[in-house]
Amino acid sequence: MTDSATSYRVLARKYRPQTFAEVIGQEAMVRTLSNAIATGRIAHAFILTGVRGVGKTTTARIIARALNCIGPDGAGGPTVTPCGECVHCGSIAEDRHVDVIEMDAASRTGVDDIRDLTEGMRYRPVSARYKIYIIDEVHMLSKNAFNALLKTLEEPPPDVKFIFATTEVHRIPVTVLSRCQRFALRRVPIDQLVEHYRRLAEAEGISVAPAALGLIARAADGSVRDGLSLLDQAIALSGDAPIEEGAVRDMLGIADRNLVFDLFETVLQGDAAGALDRMDSLYQGGADPLMVLQDLLELSHFVTRLKLAPEAGTGDPLEEGERERARPLAAALAMPILARAWQMLLKGLEEVQAAPAPAQAAAMVLVRLAYVADLPVPADLVRTLTSSEPVRAPAALTAEPAVDRSAGVSPAPAAAPAIGGRDSRGPSLAAALPVVHAPAPLPASEAPPSAELDPVPQSFAEVVALFDKHREALISSHLKEHVHLVAFEPGRIEFRPAAGAPDNLANRLSELLIEWTGVRWLIARSRVEDAGAPTLAQEEARRAGALRHEVAAHPLVQAVLETFPGATIAAVRERFVAADAATEAAADDVGDAQSDDGTSAGEDGS
Ligand SMILES: Nc1ncnc2c1ncn2[C@@H]1O[C@H](COP(=O)(O)OP(=O)(O)OP(=O)(O)O)[C@@H](O)[C@H]1O
Ligand SMILES: [Mg+2]
Ligand SMILES: [Zn+2]
């Protein structure tokens, strides 16, 4: 900071609140404290907790004044609104009151320091109502020091008060904590920070663009002092000129927001090459790759919120300014894609942080994101698989058609350039699925009256389907599990029964087939050991295994598995138009009719 040449006093010091009214963002704490003082129930010890720069030390000093203020006329008692005029208020503000002892535990952590302190407690306050010990960064005290302190806290002299402050309350022994009234100071919300900084800038006669204030407030991350230091920096950088958004961006290493939007769109269109170009120019422009990913993460969060609530971002000048640009994105991007983007960016951030070459790592995250964001969401995938069209992953941004081109979102062209070309993804998932000619089971409502005959099955699978259709579930399951087919032609079946097949299976088969088809069936049992094909169930299991293999090897699935660590393939299901149509036509009955006919092969992970 440049304070050498000028008499410039850093804002944080210059604007330390002197009253509770000037403390921002801590309304709850102020209210409780006011009540305690108003009702005269003043604890012996307070502990103020919260992250850096939210007003702990400030509040400790105000409490000291509140307890010792005697009012302008010298007759007042403890008050939540210290007068600022009496001798006590004055000397506490100037840090020179004999009865208010401020100690920084960070530098005086030893038991001797505490002993000095407790020694002093034997003497009554010199001039004030209370002797007040403010121990800042109290978590830094040694174990012995805490023990010494504890003794005093157990039997505090009536005119001694303690005010502790710490950023790390979890490091305070519970025995100490339990003897203190605790006030948790919270991170100050962005809108309050913006307003605060705006007022201070005005008081300083400095013009700051609202968006620049927003950037500073956001970077402050809830800490009033952090933001004030940034404002100091910005003032030093721009001299007498107004502080513009761009200057603050540069100062903070934050990429131009519009460029971040461009990148976000490009990457979610699946255009990896384009995304790398954009990232590169951001990098050349001085943006930190890590920050860019952070921006993208924030953006995906914002767009998600906007999708759920059109008024999202109200009160945050930055987000309000960005709503127009983000709205078409919120309309165009499906929720699963946003959720996926968020997850990948979050994981990517970690990687970039750990990577020896962050820029490269960030580029890889973008490529991965482009590659996966471009993939259809599961619902679309299923839809695609059930249509006869060859699969082409619809670009994320085209998943929902309501895209406002004027706002810079254009649907990906039919052949959006992806790294290595789309074909490098290997065969489409649909092509990888084996084709199964399964009869579409007739919905029960359309089943022919019993007088009408069923068509003669043309395959063993059709035979089984016929048993399913007639709800002969038991026989059907024997056919699937205990029948090794040796030969089949319409009207003639030769099979070898496996152990478990009922003795009368052949008879029942022929009886029912004659009844249903009106054709005499010749059912022969083969006694030859090992004769015949695998059972349908075995075949099914083998096919499912192969399918699982195939699916697991598919680039799409691999990308998903890579994206979601810990994910496994739980089940592979095939979907067919015929089955779907039947499902729709006979919603109630179809469950029985097709559950085992092989058209909706389901398999649970084993
Ligand atoms: N809640 C607040 N309202 C107004 N100004 C604040 C607030 N909190 C901090 N500030 C500003 O930041 C400066 C530093 O605050 P303070 O020393 O009280 O923070 P702290 O919580 O004690 O931080 P640390 O944990 O670093 O000790 C103050 O002088 C003031 O300018
Ligand atoms: Mg402090
Ligand atoms: Zn006073």
Side-chain angles (χ1 to χ4, degrees):
M1 232 158 288
T2 62
D3 53 358
S4 47
T6 62
S7 62
Y8 183 78
R9 192 144 66 107
V10 294
L11 294 170
R13 206 110 38 80
K14 185 167 175 184
Y15 292 98
R16 190 188 282 284
Q18 302 295 325
T19 64
F20 286 123
E22 290 167 27
V23 173
I24 63 166
Q26 312 297 354
E27 293 79 10
M29 186 256 323
V30 171
R31 209 176 311 124
T32 327
L33 203 55
S34 306
N35 286 341
I37 293 175
T39 57
R41 277 199 302 258
I42 302 167
H44 285 296
F46 303 92
I47 186 160
L48 307 169
T49 65
V51 297
R52 79 231 169 263
V54 290
K56 297 181 297 297
T57 304
T58 304
T59 302
R61 291 190 187 154
I62 301 177
I63 294 177
R65 289 164 50 156
L67 297 184
N68 276 339
C69 178
I70 51 173
D73 59 357
T79 169
V80 73
T81 48
C83 70
E85 294 170 32
C86 70
V87 50
H88 300 297
C89 282
S91 53
I92 294 173
E94 287 163 26
D95 237 348
R96 52 171 183 77
H97 197 296
V98 279
D99 292 322
V100 177
I101 299 104
E102 206 172 316
M103 169 185 154
D104 185 358
S107 52
R108 299 174 63 190
T109 60
V111 64
D112 290 343
D113 295 316
I114 292 295
R115 213 164 278 140
D116 286 352
L117 205 118
T118 48
E119 278 294 292
M121 276 174 219
R122 295 200 315 222
Y123 307 102
R124 307 227 37 224
V126 177
S127 65
R129 191 175 295 125
Y130 297 111
K131 204 163 199 164
I132 297 177
Y133 291 88
I134 298 175
I135 306 184
D136 223 339
E137 310 297 344
V138 66
H139 61 271
M140 299 291 282
L141 287 181
S142 67
K143 194 161 175 278
N144 287 336
F146 268 126
N147 281 334
L149 187 61
L150 195 57
K151 284 211 189 74
T152 322
L153 285 177
E154 278 166 348
E155 287 171 58
D159 42 16
V160 168
K161 301 281 177 202
F162 287 95
I163 307 172
F164 305 125
T166 181
T167 46
E168 290 173 60
V169 67
H170 56 273
R171 283 170 65 184
I172 313 293
V174 277
T175 44
V176 171
L177 269 187
S178 66
R179 292 188 161 76
C180 302
Q181 181 166 19
R182 180 170 162 189
F183 294 109
L185 279 70
R186 48 177 202 141
R187 284 179 200 273
V188 178
I190 286 195
D191 52 341
Q192 277 179 290
L193 287 179
V194 168
E195 178 54 20
H196 187 59
Y197 300 153
R198 196 191 57 71
R199 265 186 285 125
L200 295 201
E202 202 175 273
E204 291 285 306
I206 293 160
S207 140
V208 189
L213 282 179
L215 283 175
I216 289 174
R218 183 178 294 191
D221 195 22
S223 166
V224 185
R225 192 194 36 231
D226 283 7
L228 286 178
S229 306
L230 292 173
L231 194 54
D232 276 328
Q233 273 183 50
I235 292 170
L237 279 174
S238 50
D240 290 334
I243 298 173
E244 299 297 345
E245 180 187 351
V248 173
R249 265 185 205 292
D250 288 349
M251 178 184 97
L252 296 174
I254 300 176
D256 182 316
R257 212 55 186 172
N258 277 319
L259 297 181
V260 175
F261 265 99
D262 290 345
L263 177 58
F264 190 72
E265 285 166 9
T266 308
V267 82
L268 288 188
Q269 276 166 2
D271 180 359
L276 288 190
D277 276 351
R278 290 195 184 284
M279 183 61 161
D280 197 46
S281 55
L282 280 169
Y283 187 62
Q284 299 304 332
D288 175 350
L290 189 69
M291 297 270 258
V292 173
L293 285 202
Q294 225 149 18
D295 285 353
L296 291 174
L297 187 71
E298 227 169 67
L299 203 53
S300 63
H301 182 244
F302 180 47
V303 171
T304 305
R305 271 163 54 221
L306 209 53
K307 203 173 172 64
L308 296 171
E311 72 283 4
T314 308
D316 180 335
L318 278 184
E319 292 195 336
E320 277 181 357
E322 288 170 357
R323 246 189 315 208
E324 286 320 303
R325 177 96 205 250
R327 208 164 264 142
L329 278 173
L333 290 166
M335 197 57 98
I337 288 172
L338 285 168
R340 192 154 63 192
W342 160 269
Q343 218 163 355
M344 293 184 69
L345 284 165
L346 201 61
K347 186 160 171 280
L349 266 178
E350 270 172 37
E351 289 173 18
V352 173
Q353 262 160 345
Q360 283 173 15
M364 292 314 287
V365 172
L366 290 181
V367 170
R368 211 164 55 202
L369 187 54
Y371 188 74
V372 173
D374 185 31
L375 296 176
V377 298
D380 289 335
L381 188 60
V382 167
R383 221 171 294 135
T384 320
L385 287 177
T386 54
S387 79
S388 51
E389 298 257 307
V391 156
R392 200 201 74 73
L397 282 176
T398 57
E400 290 172 42
V403 173
D404 181 358
R405 282 163 184 273
S406 63
V409 185
S410 52
I419 278 223
R422 197 164 298 276
D423 289 342
S424 67
R425 288 185 188 171
S428 74
L429 191 53
L433 297 176
V435 177
V436 175
H437 296 286
L442 281 175
S445 57
E446 289 171 22
S450 55
E452 258 175 54
L453 295 174
D454 285 305
V456 175
Q458 300 298 303
S459 69
F460 185 57
E462 287 186 26
V463 171
V464 178
L466 196 58
F467 278 81
D468 283 331
K469 183 194 149 195
H470 287 277
R471 313 238 175 143
E472 290 288 346
L474 188 61
I475 296 182
S476 164
S477 85
H478 284 307
L479 291 179
K480 278 176 226 162
E481 285 170 33
H482 301 130
V483 166
H484 296 277
L485 192 65
V486 176
F488 178 92
E489 57 192 69
R492 194 182 93 87
I493 300 173
E494 187 183 348
F495 71 95
R496 173 175 62 88
D503 286 342
N504 66 350
L505 186 59
N507 286 342
R508 290 293 291 154
L509 260 183
S510 95
E511 277 170 27
L512 289 171
L513 282 173
I514 290 170
E515 184 187 321
W516 295 333
T517 62
V519 175
R520 176 164 296 279
W521 283 72
L522 191 72
I523 313 291
R525 291 165 60 129
S526 165
R527 310 249 169 230
V528 182
E529 218 176 306
D530 290 341
T535 65
L536 287 183
Q538 287 168 341
E539 183 58 30
E540 178 56 41
R542 188 202 60 76
R543 210 164 53 86
L547 179 62
R548 171 180 291 262
H549 235 80
E550 239 169 325
V551 166
H554 193 278
L556 185 151
V557 175
Q558 289 201 326
V560 171
L561 291 179
E562 211 173 279
T563 310
F564 303 106
T568 55
I569 301 175
V572 179
R573 284 194 183 78
E574 295 169 29
R575 301 278 304 248
F576 294 92
V577 185
D580 272 1
T583 308
E584 274 161 30
D588 295 343
D589 292 322
V590 78
D592 290 322
Q594 70 170 114
S595 59
D596 282 288
D597 63 6
T599 60
S600 58
E603 188 218 349
D604 282 329
S606 49

